[in-house]
Amino acid sequence: MPNKIVTVIKREYTTRVKSKGFVVSLFLMPVLMCGLVFLSSFLAIMQDRTKEMRKLAVVDETGEIFTEMQAAIARRSTFQHKGELVYQLQEESATTEEERAALRERVNTKDLYAYLEIPEDVLANGEVRFYARTATNFEVQNALRRIISDIVRDRRFAESGYSRREVSQLMRSVRFNAYAVKSSKGKDGGAEVESPIQTGARIGLGYLLVFVLYLFVIIYANSVMRSVLEEKTTRIVEVIVSSVKPHQLLLGKLIGVCSVCLTMFVIWVIFGVLLVMNIEPLLSIFGIDSLPMQFTLVIGTIKASSAEILAYFFVYFVIGFFMYSTLYAVVGAICGSEEEAQQTGGPLTMLIVVPFILMFQLFRIPDSTVSVLLSHVPFFSPILMFMRINVLMPPLWEILLNISLMCATVLLVTLISGKIYRVGILMYGKRPTLRQLWQWARY
Amino acid sequence: MMNLLQLENVHKRFGDFTAVSDISFSIEKGSIYGLLGPNGAGKTTTLRMIMDIIAPDAGSITFSGNRHIQDFLNQIGYLPEERGLYRKMKVRDVILFIAELKGLYKQQALGEIERWLEKMQLSEWANKRVDELSKGMAQKIQFITTVIHKPELIILDEPFSGLDPINMTLLKDLMLELRDNGSTIIFSTHVMEQVEKLCDHICLIHQGKVLLEGELRAVKQTFGKNSVEIEYLGSLEPIRNSAWIQGINDFGQYAEVRLKMPEDYRPFLRELVEKGVDVTRFELVEPTLHEIFVQSVEAHGGVVQDAE
């Protein structure tokens, strides 16, 4: 006799894999991901350039800095567009508060792009003030700060009898690079050491995987919720549970949807491996024969570390998926409509959004007590523990403890959810209260 | 005759609400068994307990003398009152899915699907999506999913609701055909007329309790011929408060009248003539199920809110 859970899995799997949505995300997701990476790196290097002339008023109480500033600005690319200077500096005298207010008003009416106050005691410790309509134009601010600082420093040096050339020669900073010491053994018998580029490549891959994990758990947990809801609203669920136990239906559904995700990942991994393995012949097609050292290093790092990271990724994805999806299935079971389910599911989303946000701070302090404790909170583990594994491998016992903790949580959640689910799918009408849910869980 | 299904002293409460209270009945193999009662009487709860979807608080349900009904679910076909199909799946795939859940192998199921679709004249719809079907077609597909695995026991909860007369006849003929081929059918409804024509045995439920149970003919006989059918022209208003009658179900030109005593038909007929009602037909009949139901409820001190 055919196994009933397998029948449920098969339906969940084939209807999804055959759908247009699956094919579209299979191809579109990598494109979108790459697009996002490129867009953000493009935005990061994009400069605040203007074609329009911007007028910058300077109130120079010292009476000496303005002329030097004008010369310095002409040399800086920040203030140019295609080799033409697009910033026009004009000296203003404003001794009274009314005059300064008038200048600020001109900034407000866009007559001036910004206005700058250089106090008389700037050489001592005076504050230079920059007024603009936004204070987030850091690029212009930084360029101006550097220009004025250079001028002020030169003057201080001159007063003390040094030349700027001498001082900058003496004052240049040392070259400083961070090398991660790994727990694995290197060629020389000591611990292996990772260069900054290698670390960057490895962590970059890790970040990408955390992001994929986060995205897919959210998307497919919602898919489980909608699927439960569909069975409930179309009332087909009563026919199904007259042949299959509700927990079998739920389990089959979760395994089916999880397999859909894993299928997609496996296809991507295969493509990724093929790409990385054949990167040199591939690039030579485009006429690139000699690769820069850094690039070879990045490819080498990815080859060396991706097997381990991917293994952890699969473990944490599967456990995370079951943990969150079971909860979403319950939301689907207790609600009567898509809108109601979206509302009820809202707070659940926080369970995965919170660790995702925390991750950006915690990865700087991967072995602090806060990081360690938070990474063992079961619902945070799929993201935070996986982040720790990427950044600074925790001891094996900690990983094993974490995985058992998560598995125990999954079991507990499934046990309680299964009971609520069983009652919920056959209940129509008003959404149950928390008290009722508690009763259902104890049936 | 062997009992296929037996319920003994079954109880079910939901919180403070008693849905089913001390229900017992048994169903003979090869019969069409009518489970009757107004909406909310406890019919669906009873059926769900038979299907092991919910567990009774007390009492026992046995299938072929076996208490582990979950082992026999593949031998039961259940058409719930609230029904639907996956809207985005193809007709054949939906039926196949449910058939496989009921233990059929794919090849076996595919053959049965073709046979049933042909029988229902829906063959050309096999590759269409469910949401392209009309309501009546979807109902027929639903019926196929209920019987595709050749179940011994078929449970139909309000199977006729929403069907047009042609499909009603089709379904009725199918039910009789299935019975003749050895299936046992539980037919649950609140529409008494349908049961009267189809069922051998009935069970009347009201507010979770069994009011009447047994062979339809025997049940009717115990109520005696205290009913009269009349056809008339004009109005029945003059005799509406007649001393002889207990109840009246007036359809405008036709009425079913329940008399207080069987022998009251003589004075009642006289009164009709005296009050000038233009009677074109007057016949002494067995009570309809509807009347039996109303009487039983009243006898138990209840009030019937006319079912729809």
Side-chain angles (χ1 to χ4, degrees), chain B residues 235-241 250 277:
Chain B
S235 166
L236 270 190
E237 228 20 77
I239 55 96
R240 187 132 339 241
N241 296 316
D250 189 3
V277 177

Side-chain angles (χ1 to χ4, degrees), chain A residues 275-322:
Chain A
L275 188 72
V276 170
M277 288 301 179
N278 301 303
I279 191 85
E280 280 158 14
L282 263 178
L283 284 177
S284 70
I285 295 174
F286 297 101
I288 308 168
D289 287 318
S290 62
L291 298 171
M293 241 288 281
Q294 286 95 328
F295 190 78
T296 329
L297 210 56
V298 167
I299 295 290
T301 313
I302 289 176
K303 275 183 188 169
S305 61
S306 50
E308 191 187 18
I309 294 186
L310 281 173
Y312 279 113
F313 169 77
F314 278 102
V315 170
Y316 276 86
F317 176 79
V318 170
I319 300 178
F321 174 83
F322 273 83

Side-chain angles (χ1 to χ4, degrees), chain A residues 20-70:
Chain A
K20 286 186 208 93
F22 179 82
V23 183
V24 169
S25 19
L26 187 64
F27 291 104
L28 218 58
M29 273 295 203
V31 174
L32 280 178
M33 285 282 188
C34 293
L36 196 66
V37 170
F38 277 120
L39 183 68
S40 58
S41 23
F42 174 72
L43 285 178
I45 59 166
M46 204 176 76
Q47 289 165 331
D48 174 26
R49 287 287 185 275
T50 170
K51 290 179 205 161
E52 306 283 307
M53 202 51 134
R54 284 177 174 173
K55 281 196 276 186
L56 197 67
V58 180
V59 177
D60 180 10
E61 289 179 355
T62 63
E64 293 167 342
I65 289 175
F66 179 75
T67 344
E68 280 185 58
M69 263 182 81
Q70 225 164 3

Side-chain angles (χ1 to χ4, degrees), chain B residues 53-73:
Chain B
I53 293 172
I54 48 180
D57 296 334
S60 76
I61 301 173
T62 52
F63 185 86
S64 292
N66 199 308
R67 286 192 68 150
H68 285 278
I69 205 156
Q70 58 268 34
D71 300 339
F72 296 91
L73 289 179

Side-chain angles (χ1 to χ4, degrees), chain A residues 1 189 192 206 237 245 327 354:
Chain A
M1 200 184 293
E192 199 184 353
V237 72
K245 296 279 108 193
L327 292 180
V354 166

Side-chain angles (χ1 to χ4, degrees), chain A residues 5-187:
Chain A
I5 297 188
V6 174
T7 306
V8 176
I9 296 174
K10 233 169 50 187
R11 196 199 76 85
E12 293 290 338
Y13 185 80
T14 46
T15 50
R16 280 190 171 73
V17 171
K18 277 191 202 159
S19 74
K20 286 186 208 93
F22 179 82
V23 183
V24 169
S25 19
L26 187 64
F27 291 104
L28 218 58
M29 273 295 203
V31 174
L32 280 178
M33 285 282 188
C34 293
L36 196 66
V37 170
F38 277 120
L39 183 68
S40 58
S41 23
F42 174 72
L43 285 178
I45 59 166
M46 204 176 76
Q47 289 165 331
D48 174 26
R49 287 287 185 275
T50 170
K51 290 179 205 161
E52 306 283 307
M53 202 51 134
R54 284 177 174 173
K55 281 196 276 186
L56 197 67
V58 180
V59 177
D60 180 10
E61 289 179 355
T62 63
E64 293 167 342
I65 289 175
F66 179 75
T67 344
E68 280 185 58
M69 263 182 81
Q70 225 164 3
I73 277 178
R75 286 196 300 270
R76 280 199 170 257
S77 63
T78 314
F79 301 102
Q80 291 171 358
H81 177 72
K82 292 185 178 161
E84 296 284 315
L85 194 63
V86 284
Y87 281 76
Q88 185 193 344
L89 255 60
Q90 53 192 54
E91 190 164 13
E92 302 275 343
S93 68
T95 42
T96 64
E97 192 47 46
E98 285 79 45
E99 285 170 313
R100 289 173 192 210
L103 280 173
R104 284 200 288 272
E105 184 51 34
R106 283 172 64 192
V107 170
N108 185 37
T109 56
K110 298 192 194 173
D111 174 32
L112 291 176
Y113 171 67
Y115 111 83
L116 202 63
E117 265 177 40
I118 303 172
E120 210 172 352
D121 60 346
V122 68
L123 254 61
N125 211 11
E127 178 197 30
V128 175
R129 290 175 171 223
F130 175 77
Y131 295 92
R133 290 174 65 247
T134 162
T136 57
N137 49 359
F138 299 112
E139 215 186 326
V140 175
Q141 291 173 31
N142 286 338
L144 286 172
R145 181 197 297 123
R146 256 196 227 132
I147 288 172
I148 299 170
S149 299
D150 281 350
I151 297 169
V152 168
R153 272 196 215 118
D154 280 355
R155 284 178 179 270
R156 290 187 192 139
F157 294 145
E159 276 175 16
S160 321
Y162 299 101
S163 88
R164 183 179 154 70
R165 263 182 66 91
E166 278 170 3
V167 175
S168 58
Q169 186 67 25
L170 296 172
M171 287 288 289
R172 72 180 195 278
S173 31
V174 291
R175 285 175 54 212
F176 185 95
N177 283 318
Y179 290 81
V181 175
K182 310 271 288 179
S183 54
S184 50
K185 289 272 174 281
K187 287 182 196 118

Side-chain angles (χ1 to χ4, degrees), chain B residues 19-37:
Chain B
V20 166
S21 157
D22 200 23
I23 282 189
S24 304
F25 60 80
S26 54
I27 298 175
E28 266 176 36
K29 212 169 155 57
S31 62
I32 298 185
Y33 192 90
L35 193 58
L36 301 171

Side-chain angles (χ1 to χ4, degrees), chain B residues 17 100 117 123 175 181 191 194 224 229 255 270 278 289-290:
Chain B
F17 174 69
E100 285 186 314
L117 284 176
S123 293
M175 283 169 69
N181 289 336
V191 187
Q194 297 170 350
E229 280 179 19
R270 199 174 306 127
D278 193 354
L289 260 184
H290 182 85

